[in-house]
Amino acid sequence: MGMPGILTHDVLKGPPPPPAEGGWGGDGSPEGFGASRKASFTALFVLLAASTMVFAAFTSAFVVRRGMSDDWISTPKPPILFVNTLVLLASSAVLEIARRTLRSGERSRFNAWWSAGTLLGILFLVGQALAWRELKDAGVFVATNPSSSFFYVLTACHAFHLLGGITALVWVDVQALRLSLGPAKRTAIDVSAVFWHFLDGLWIYLMILFYVWG
Amino acid sequence: MSSPVVHAHHAPEGFIRRYVFSLDHKVIGIQYYFLGLFSVFIGMFLSLLMRYHMVNPTVSVAWMAKLWPTAAAGGVMTPELYLSLMTMHGTIMVFFVLTTVPQSGFGNYMLPIQIGAEDMAFPVLNMMSFWTTFLALVVMIAAFFVEGGAPLSGWTAYPPLSAAGRVTGPGEGMGQNLWILSIAIFCGASLMGAINFISTTVDLRCKGMTLMRMPLTCWTWLVTAILGLLGFAVLLAAGVLLLLDRLAGSSFFLPAGMMISDRILADHKGGSPLLWQHLFWFFGHPEVYIAILPGMGVTSQLLSTFSRKPIFGYKAMVYAILSIGFLGFLVWGHHMFMSGMNPYSAMAFATLTMCIGVPSAIKTFNWLGTLWGGKIHFTTAMLFALGFVSLFVTGGVSGIFLGQPALDLYFHDTYFVVGHFHMIMGVAAIFGMFAGTFYWFPKMYGRMMNETLGKIHFYLTFIGVYCIFTPMHYLGIAGNPRRYSAFTDVEYLGGLIPVHQFMTYAAYFTAAVQLIFVVNLFWSLMKGPKAPVNPWNATTLEWTVPSPPPFDNFAGVHPVVNHGPYEYSVPGAASDFIMQTDPPSAVPSEH
Ligand code: HEM
Ligand SMILES: [Cu+2]
């Protein structure tokens, strides 16, 4: 019918999968309600679209505000941001390794890797807090300058997203340590990992924005 | 063929889990509906206060002084109080009525059933989005009760008024903060809702329910969800910046050297009020389609059902919905022709605005094509759908005028605009809701509404709203500005006061007539005659299940769809409608 595959796949695949697998509004939970794996991924991508729009809006405000003003003074970027960047990239890599080990069935190694990735994620947030403190000590606040306003807004909004991501990672971790990672929870693993990688990419984008125009 | 395994789910026990923190999309839909009903009466009450004041600007009303001891000391409202009523009227109507009822109310209830699903994809998220909306409403209404009262800056919250703080007026302190907070919460709720609507439509359709077999209502809910997703994300970002300007002293929207009430605002410099306008209208224009698209879906559904004819040009309708959604993001500049924008930009926005008239016209002609030669059943639901078409055309035509920069420079900020958007967004969308109510009430509550009361209500409302809003176009052409609390201080407006008086009487009349609807609604809820499964002989899936439907909609049976949504009066078929779930053989083959 000329529609992109993602929109029609469930119809083309013929009969629905058994309830335990998802579909029909059931994910095998006791009540048979909840999200199928496919729906979870759809929801994830829809959520990413919304987050992208939020940052697109901030970016366009950034570009406009910078372009039309003569009061823009570049904010000094705390060097720790580079360390944070490495920590965040490392956390993504570690989570990927964790997913690989799970695929090859090594549960306990999965737990270790996943916990490590989660800790690195938390470490990134701590690093961001240090960066803010450094700015604050240098007398740079939200209202100091449009450049610093945007720096705080964008990093805070990113951190807010990260809090959501960390909640998901911790939840998976708790399930993993309690050895209760059933097939349905695999979806949670994949969804939170993809979300986390998105936050990675978003952070790289923000770094470029800050260093090139900020 | 083996019979399907029947595995029904039952509703949870206990009042709280069943009716308050319910996960059932049907209960949540009803909750949204009643939240909207509550809001629409608040909004209407505020509008009556405004209409009264406009034509009696000096008459003292004792109970006004009781309600607002400072803002209406002596019983006469101050212009600031007028503006705060206007702000709250617009905000409550746009967000908590027009955005809430057609999409979150009817959509929540009907989308899963119409596509053959047991529930929304994420029931917990669904419940959260309702209660978040509820919280947003509470915060919004709280703005009335804080120091200084409700904000003054209109539903569009233009800075500097909305950003400079308490110095700009009584409601611009805490009231405006709460307003922004409430809108931000509402954005969050709408995002949750949009995620659910999109995933449900994409992934939970039952066997045979291809996209091109979805009822047009489902298409409009889908596209509305996409608009809401992208639009509310931008409004949320803008709201954060506005709040920071107010609370953290940043200068996103506030320029340097502003003088407000003899005081110079020294703390801010370099910001741009126009930046807010761009961000706001990038959301705002899609928002007006969020309000109207579901009504278009309902109208399509009803015109087809009650003309006993297939919808004229189903595919064209789908593509029109999609292109309205797409173009809706490219025309925001037509709200800003007067902002000093570059004439070339204005021309681009004007051209795109004319383009969006094309799919709108396609829809209108397809509706007329559907009616043409049909066996029309004038039920109350059908009357409201016809009223929708009428109002949509009336409002759309004035939009074409406003879309011309040369004309809009004159019309902007006059009553012409107020007439335009009340016709099309206000009343047309509300007629869509009335149509949906009369059409789906039997399914939702298992009882029929009273048709006689319904028809009386329709005709009086139809006449009433035209009497209120048609003269606004004339006032606008005569140069009557919007957002004035009285017209006595400006000489050239004096002659227009009789027109305002007429509109005020029409508003009283129309508001009073709504009591007929309320009586009908609640009387039918309790005493209406029992509704059969399919009172309208309609074809879509909700009419295959009992009224009201069981907890999991299909009692554990998985429906299979074999037909398009509007197969009425198929030549040679046994009856004049073929249900979507009828066997393929229900359509006689040509040979
Ligand atoms: C053919 C289609 C349409 C055209 C060409 C059109 C054009 C316009 C233009 C140019 C304005 C700005 C007027 C001004 O402020 O000076 C406007 C305002 C408005 N329109 Fe439309 N419009 C159309 C359809 C709609 C629809 C379908 C809705 C809602 C369902 C709608 C709702 C509004 C609202 C709410 C405003 C006023 C916002 C405000 O300033 O408070 N319009 N329209
Ligand atoms: Cu518009």
Side-chain angles (χ1 to χ4, degrees):
Chain A
M1 171 168 318
M3 282 286 160
I6 184 170
L7 291 180
T8 47
H9 56 142
D10 62 324
V11 183
L12 300 180
K13 273 197 195 140
E21 245 298 299
W24 300 107
D27 67 348
S29 71
E31 292 170 337
F33 282 87
S36 71
R37 185 175 166 84
K38 262 183 310 184
S40 302
F41 273 99
T42 309
L44 171 67
F45 289 119
V46 172
L47 174 67
L48 297 190
S51 297
T52 305
M53 277 315 275
V54 171
F55 280 92
F58 283 138
T59 306
S60 72
F62 182 105
V63 171
V64 169
R65 182 68 178 79
R66 184 176 194 277
M68 46 154 272
S69 65
D70 50 11
D71 60 341
W72 187 286
I73 302 163
S74 185
T75 302
K77 258 75 65 184
I80 194 178
L81 290 183
F82 283 106
V83 181
N84 295 351
T85 309
L86 289 181
V87 170
L88 190 60
L89 288 179
S91 72
S92 255
V94 168
L95 291 179
E96 255 333 279
I97 298 176
R99 281 213 296 172
R100 295 254 162 90
T101 52
L102 186 63
R103 243 171 274 149
S104 53
E106 301 164 79
R107 289 284 190 111
S108 57
R109 283 186 56 214
F110 167 84
N111 294 356
W113 283 111
W114 190 271
S115 310
T118 310
L119 284 179
L120 284 172
I122 296 173
L123 194 62
F124 172 83
L125 269 193
V126 175
Q128 293 292 85
L130 291 178
W132 287 322
R133 209 177 65 185
E134 211 170 300
L135 278 184
K136 192 191 80 179
D137 292 344
V140 180
F141 301 97
V142 175
T144 306
N145 184 272
S147 160
S148 69
S149 310
F150 276 107
F151 181 84
Y152 279 108
V153 168
L154 289 166
T155 48
C157 187
H158 181 259
F160 183 75
H161 278 76
L162 226 77
L163 278 182
I166 287 178
T167 311
L169 296 189
V170 169
W171 185 82
V172 169
D173 216 28
V174 170
Q175 304 301 318
L177 295 176
R178 288 167 58 197
L179 300 179
S180 60
L181 282 182
K185 309 242 169 73
R186 303 283 164 97
T187 301
I189 295 176
D190 294 337
V191 165
S192 41
V194 173
F195 184 65
W196 194 260
H197 298 332
F198 168 79
L199 297 183
D200 253 26
L202 191 62
W203 177 248
I204 301 288
Y205 165 74
L206 292 182
M207 282 293 276
I208 294 173
L209 192 66
F210 295 147
Y211 276 90
V212 176
W213 285 298
Chain B
M1 240 175 89
S2 61
S3 62
V5 185
V6 176
H7 176 62
H9 305 291
H10 298 285
E13 304 292 320
F15 183 79
I16 300 269
R17 278 205 59 203
R18 207 163 169 170
Y19 297 111
V20 182
F21 295 108
S22 171
L23 299 181
D24 181 356
H25 68 101
K26 298 186 286 300
V27 177
I28 296 173
I30 292 172
Q31 289 174 325
Y32 269 118
Y33 184 92
F34 279 93
L35 181 136
L37 196 67
F38 170 77
S39 306
V40 82
F41 279 99
I42 296 193
M44 200 168 71
F45 173 67
L46 299 175
S47 71
L48 293 178
L49 291 184
M50 287 188 283
R51 288 264 28 127
Y52 177 83
H53 179 76
M54 270 183 265
V55 298
N56 304 293
T58 52
V59 178
S60 167
V61 185
W63 56 265
M64 282 288 292
K66 288 222 180 71
L67 269 181
W68 285 281
T70 41
V76 181
M77 67 169 86
T78 56
E80 287 81 4
L81 178 58
Y82 175 88
L83 285 181
S84 74
L85 301 184
M86 179 209 77
T87 301
M88 295 298 272
H89 164 78
T91 309
I92 289 177
M93 290 299 205
V94 169
F95 291 96
F96 295 98
V97 180
L98 300 179
T99 311
T100 299
V101 176
Q103 175 80 2
S104 312
F106 287 123
N108 240 316
Y109 197 107
M110 290 302 163
L111 172 71
I113 311 187
Q114 286 196 333
I115 62 171
E118 287 177 351
D119 202 320
M120 283 288 198
F122 305 99
V124 176
L125 193 69
N126 204 15
M127 175 189 79
M128 276 162 52
S129 82
F130 171 75
W131 285 106
T132 316
T133 309
F134 182 81
L135 177 67
L137 180 61
V138 172
V139 174
M140 183 60 71
I141 290 179
F144 272 120
F145 299 99
V146 293
E147 194 273 329
L152 316 175
S153 57
W155 79 282
T156 54
Y158 276 16
L161 179 53
S162 64
R166 187 68 174 77
V167 283
T168 52
E172 287 305 311
M174 200 53 193
Q176 185 75 57
N177 289 341
L178 288 180
W179 187 94
I180 302 172
L181 185 66
S182 162
I183 293 302
I185 298 172
F186 189 88
C187 289
S190 301
L191 292 178
M192 291 189 242
I195 289 174
N196 235 332
F197 272 73
I198 298 172
S199 337
T200 304
T201 315
V202 172
D203 287 319
L204 296 195
R205 281 171 288 126
C206 69
K207 186 169 181 207
M209 180 60 81
T210 59
L211 285 174
M212 283 302 181
R213 277 184 184 163
M214 287 201 307
L216 287 170
T217 42
C218 299
W219 272 107
T220 55
W221 288 320
L222 174 65
V223 173
T224 302
I226 297 173
L227 293 182
L229 183 85
L230 305 179
F232 279 111
V234 172
L235 182 66
L236 182 59
V240 168
L241 300 185
L242 186 59
L243 208 57
L244 285 178
D245 268 9
R246 298 175 54 82
L247 301 179
S250 57
S251 305
F252 295 108
F253 305 123
L254 287 173
M258 269 187 318
M259 273 264 281
I260 295 175
S261 314
D262 294 338
R263 265 196 277 169
I264 294 183
L265 288 195
D267 325 346
H268 300 278
K269 61 173 191 189
S272 162
L274 284 183
L275 178 56
W276 168 267
Q277 294 192 21
H278 280 291
L279 291 172
F280 181 86
W281 287 116
F282 186 85
F283 147 79
H285 188 84
E287 164 63 25
V288 307
Y289 282 101
I290 290 173
I292 201 80
L293 273 172
M296 292 175 159
V298 171
T299 298
S300 307
Q301 173 100 357
L302 268 61
L303 293 190
S304 176
T305 306
F306 293 113
S307 305
R308 314 310 294 164
K309 275 183 65 190
I311 191 82
F312 188 92
Y314 173 88
K315 278 199 178 154
M317 287 302 231
V318 171
Y319 295 131
I321 294 168
L322 289 171
S323 46
I324 285 179
F326 174 72
L327 288 171
F329 279 108
L330 303 179
V331 300
W332 77 92
H334 65 211
H335 295 272
M336 301 172 59
F337 289 144
M338 270 297 269
S339 67
M341 74 163 46
N342 180 325
Y344 291 110
S345 316
M347 198 181 79
F349 280 123
T351 311
L352 287 162
T353 302
M354 293 307 115
C355 290
I356 213 169
V358 174
S360 310
I362 290 178
K363 297 198 69 87
T364 309
F365 286 120
N366 284 354
W367 288 328
L368 299 182
T370 306
L371 291 170
W372 188 263
K375 289 196 282 300
I376 300 182
H377 297 220
F378 288 100
T379 58
T380 309
M382 178 63 161
L383 290 173
F384 275 110
L386 292 169
F388 178 98
V389 177
S390 160
L391 291 157
F392 182 72
V393 172
T394 315
V397 168
S398 57
I400 303 292
F401 286 75
L402 294 171
Q404 316 290 333
L407 292 175
D408 187 59
L409 294 189
Y410 180 82
F411 285 138
H412 181 67
D413 264 344
T414 68
Y415 263 80
F416 194 90
V417 178
V418 184
H420 161 66
F421 72 73
H422 275 93
M423 279 288 181
I424 198 154
M425 166 146 138
V427 205
I430 296 232
F431 270 45
M433 290 179 227
F434 281 136
T437 304
F438 279 91
Y439 181 66
W440 279 314
F441 186 92
K443 184 54 61 187
M444 293 168 71
Y445 304 103
R447 293 179 186 275
M448 304 298 291
M449 287 184 80
N450 186 297
E451 283 286 311
T452 313
L453 282 182
K455 283 179 186 155
I456 297 172
H457 169 234
F458 165 78
Y459 283 111
L460 297 182
T461 306
F462 189 73
I463 296 168
V465 294
Y466 266 101
C467 286
I468 305 173
F469 297 112
T470 316
M472 289 192 178
H473 300 84
Y474 167 74
L475 289 174
I477 294 170
N480 194 326
R482 67 191 274 205
R483 301 190 171 181
Y484 276 30
S485 68
F487 311 106
T488 38
D489 295 341
V490 189
E491 200 178 336
Y492 81 93
L493 293 179
L496 298 174
I497 288 179
V499 183
H500 280 286
Q501 267 156 351
F502 172 77
M503 285 157 53
T504 296
Y505 290 129
Y508 295 160
F509 169 77
T510 313
V513 166
Q514 301 318 304
L515 291 179
I516 303 176
F517 173 74
V518 176
V519 168
N520 194 352
L521 185 74
F522 287 101
W523 182 85
S524 308
L525 265 179
M526 285 167 308
K527 294 264 159 65
K530 285 266 183 288
V533 168
N534 189 359
W536 316 119
N537 290 343
T539 53
T540 45
L541 290 184
E542 75 270 34
W543 305 110
T544 64
V545 294
S547 311
F551 175 63
D552 60 357
N553 300 341
F554 297 96
V557 182
H558 297 162
V560 177
V561 166
N562 296 308
H563 297 280
Y566 303 114
E567 299 197 355
Y568 291 101
S569 305
V570 177
S575 70
D576 79 341
F577 65 106
I578 294 172
M579 307 290 295
Q580 288 199 274
T581 48
D582 280 351
S585 58
V587 176
S589 56
E590 274 103 72
H591 33 83

